[in-house]
Amino acid sequence: MIRGDGGKTLRAILDQICNKWTLLIVATLEQGTLRFSDLHHRIPGISQRMLTLTLRNLERDGLVSRTIYAEVPPRVEYALTPIGESLIPPALALASWAIDHVPQIEENRTRFLYDRR
Amino acid sequence: MIRGDGGKTLRAILDQICNKWTLLIVATLEQGTLRFSDLHHRIPGISQRMLTLTLRNLERDGLVSRTIYAEVPPRVEYALTPIGESLIPPALALASWAIDHVPQIEENRTRFLYDRR
DNA sequence: CCGAATCCTCATGGATACTG
DNA sequence: CAGTATCCATGAGGATTCGG
């Protein structure tokens, strides 16, 4: 069953994981450690603000580690923790499902619009 | 890789799947056909409005079928289509991950708050 | 380079009341 | 029973500016 408690905390955490950017960031960090600017231009469309906020949440939840190097210019590197890495398989499973079914879903949507008068 | 195109359509579909209620509704329909009121009280916390809206989106995308019986009182039954059923495994994988890691994540959050001054 | 802070907009979503 | 319609609060998220 999908609900362990009343569903409160679970749904809260699912919302946290399943938001607009989290899965993409985790999937991008699968390749290994990346610094802020790398992430910024590897994830098209994300704003600096949302990248910062999402990384903070992931750090707070212990899914991502943040390492600061006191250099000039500054360098900050992000990497997945073991818990973060354990999220990779289910995240990729969902992403793969979406990729596999994008054409079918798009066809369904257009047909749905056409069938309604 | 997680991005098939520029990431536009994929991210749109992921947003659609990964919203506040979709996964819960799909997981609830795994058990079989259910009517509106059944869904309503099996998913604690959902409003009538959001249940209707989310079901419409799922119907539009072809993940859920909607059957109306011309009776008094009216009866409407919802069921997963084959595509909808194919979403069950990755959805449950993600839900299971969340369930398994809720305690650890909650501990990380409280420690994060405590460590910051 | 890496962010924090501010402002602003718009979608999400809850509460309520009404219909067939 | 199964919605639709309306109003309204909240927060996600983009653009921009400033700081270390």
Side-chain angles (χ1 to χ4, degrees):
Chain A
M1 174 49 67
I2 201 176
R3 287 179 290 276
D5 54 355
K8 287 201 325 295
T9 22
L10 171 60
R11 202 161 58 239
I13 302 236
L14 261 185
D15 285 359
Q16 186 66 36
I17 300 304
C18 253
N19 61 27
K20 188 163 184 169
W21 301 113
T22 302
L23 283 184
L24 279 176
I25 291 180
V26 169
T28 304
L29 281 175
E30 182 199 12
Q31 311 164 19
T33 302
L34 287 175
R35 49 194 301 187
F36 187 86
S37 48
D38 290 332
L39 281 168
H40 198 5
H41 77 263
R42 282 193 200 215
I43 303 181
I46 196 171
S47 65
Q48 194 184 43
R49 171 189 153 88
M50 290 319 295
L51 181 54
T52 301
L53 285 180
T54 310
L55 283 172
R56 285 298 168 280
N57 286 334
L58 287 170
E59 186 193 1
R60 179 200 56 180
D61 292 351
L63 303 188
V64 157
S65 67
R66 178 163 172 261
T67 312
I68 309 175
Y69 297 89
E71 304 174 351
V72 179
R75 181 162 58 104
V76 180
E77 289 188 342
Y78 295 90
L80 291 179
T81 64
I83 303 185
E85 287 181 3
S86 72
L87 178 58
I88 289 282
L92 285 186
L94 198 70
S96 301
W97 183 93
I99 292 176
D100 292 345
H101 294 83
V102 161
Q104 180 69 50
I105 290 180
E106 295 213 305
E107 186 194 328
N108 290 337
R109 286 188 184 180
T110 57
R111 192 197 347 255
F112 189 79
L113 289 175
Y114 188 74
D115 285 353
R116 289 163 67 103
R117 70 216 124 284
Chain B
M1 175 46 67
I2 200 175
R3 286 178 290 277
D5 54 356
K8 287 200 325 294
T9 22
L10 172 60
R11 202 162 57 240
I13 301 231
L14 261 184
D15 286 358
Q16 186 66 36
I17 300 305
C18 256
N19 62 25
K20 188 165 186 170
W21 300 112
T22 301
L23 282 185
L24 278 178
I25 291 181
V26 170
T28 304
L29 282 176
E30 180 199 14
Q31 311 164 18
T33 301
L34 287 176
R35 46 196 300 185
F36 187 87
S37 49
D38 290 332
L39 281 168
H40 197 5
H41 78 262
R42 283 194 200 215
I43 302 179
I46 196 171
S47 65
Q48 195 184 40
R49 171 189 151 89
M50 291 319 295
L51 181 54
T52 300
L53 285 179
T54 311
L55 284 172
R56 287 295 169 282
N57 287 334
L58 287 171
E59 187 195 358
R60 179 199 56 182
D61 291 352
L63 303 190
V64 157
S65 67
R66 179 165 173 260
T67 312
I68 308 175
Y69 296 89
E71 302 173 354
V72 179
R75 182 162 57 103
V76 180
E77 290 188 344
Y78 295 90
L80 292 178
T81 64
I83 303 185
E85 287 181 4
S86 72
L87 178 58
I88 288 283
L92 285 186
L94 197 71
S96 301
W97 183 93
I99 291 175
D100 292 346
H101 295 83
V102 160
Q104 180 69 52
I105 289 180
E106 295 213 306
E107 187 195 327
N108 290 338
R109 286 187 185 180
T110 58
R111 190 192 354 250
F112 190 79
L113 288 175
Y114 188 74
D115 285 351
R116 289 162 69 101
R117 70 216 121 281

